Amino acid sequence: MPLKKITISSDHAGFSLKQTLVESAIELGFSVEDLGVSSDEIAVDYPDYGVKAVKSVLAGDVSLAVILCGTGIGMSIMANRFPEIRAAICHSEFEAEVARKHNNANILCLGGRVIGTEIAKRCLKAFLTTDFEGGRHQRRLDKINQLSPTHTHKT
Ligand code: RB5
């Protein structure tokens, strides 16, 4: 059976954790395409690298991807502009598990400056090995999909 493939990318602030998670994903039995950045020596703009992983999901090359920046916030803001993307910033194994089970998240966002390595590895494992539960959770995702991006919500 072929290995399940994921993609991963980061900016300079997520680089070190990305390198660790590439190894972890391989140990978990995944094939990993690393879309950069290739060092943390030069500051780069996180959308430039995050969008590479987003595009790999949109193109159907992979069903799950991981993107990292300093906090995970910039990457998640960028990724969630695309209607087909459900990007979840996680700081715990529980969040990563529920992001898959309930939200059918297809991109895991992590912050290299805010999360410890061992917790990040647990998040990765939970994210890559948990399935979406569907049912009522699909109904809720359908409601999100029906929201018009041009609609102005007033409080
Ligand atoms: C880079 O300094 C930092 O702003 C970036 O990695 C990220 O945290 C943005 O959300």
Side-chain angles (χ1 to χ4, degrees):
M1 192 165 152
L3 292 176
K4 266 181 93 173
K5 181 182 163 186
I6 65 160
T7 53
I8 190 166
S9 65
S10 77
D11 71 356
H12 55 289
F15 172 77
S16 173
L17 185 55
K18 170 169 71 66
Q19 301 311 103
T20 299
L21 296 187
V22 167
E23 295 304 317
S24 298
I26 291 169
E27 282 169 20
L28 288 168
F30 289 80
S31 139
V32 183
E33 185 176 2
D34 184 347
L35 300 172
V37 66
S38 56
S39 96
D40 57 6
E41 284 167 21
I42 296 171
V44 296
D45 297 335
Y46 60 84
D48 295 342
Y49 285 89
V51 79
K52 293 172 190 267
V54 165
K55 284 182 176 173
S56 73
V57 174
L58 296 177
D61 295 341
V62 294
S63 54
L64 298 177
V66 183
I67 53 180
L68 307 96
C69 59
T71 58
I73 296 171
M75 286 295 199
S76 71
I77 291 171
M78 179 279 300
N80 281 316
R81 290 185 73 92
F82 297 84
E84 301 87 351
I85 297 298
R86 294 169 299 280
I89 309 183
C90 297
H91 308 86
S92 69
E93 185 177 359
F94 175 75
E95 289 169 295
E97 182 183 332
V98 177
R100 289 287 307 126
K101 274 187 184 170
H102 291 194
N103 309 115
N104 200 14
N106 49 12
I107 297 200
L108 173 65
C109 302
L110 296 170
R113 291 174 175 164
V114 298
I115 190 169
T117 304
E118 292 308 315
I119 299 289
K121 286 183 186 174
R122 285 172 184 239
C123 289
L124 179 76
K125 182 174 182 183
F127 190 77
L128 296 183
T129 61
T130 304
D131 291 327
F132 179 48
E133 286 182 347
R136 68 187 188 279
H137 303 298
Q138 184 59 56
R139 183 181 71 239
R140 293 161 185 169
L141 293 179
D142 291 342
K143 290 189 176 187
I144 293 175
N145 288 335
Q146 284 158 15
L147 296 171
S148 166
T150 56
H151 184 74
T152 304
H153 295 275
K154 294 193 174 139
T155 52

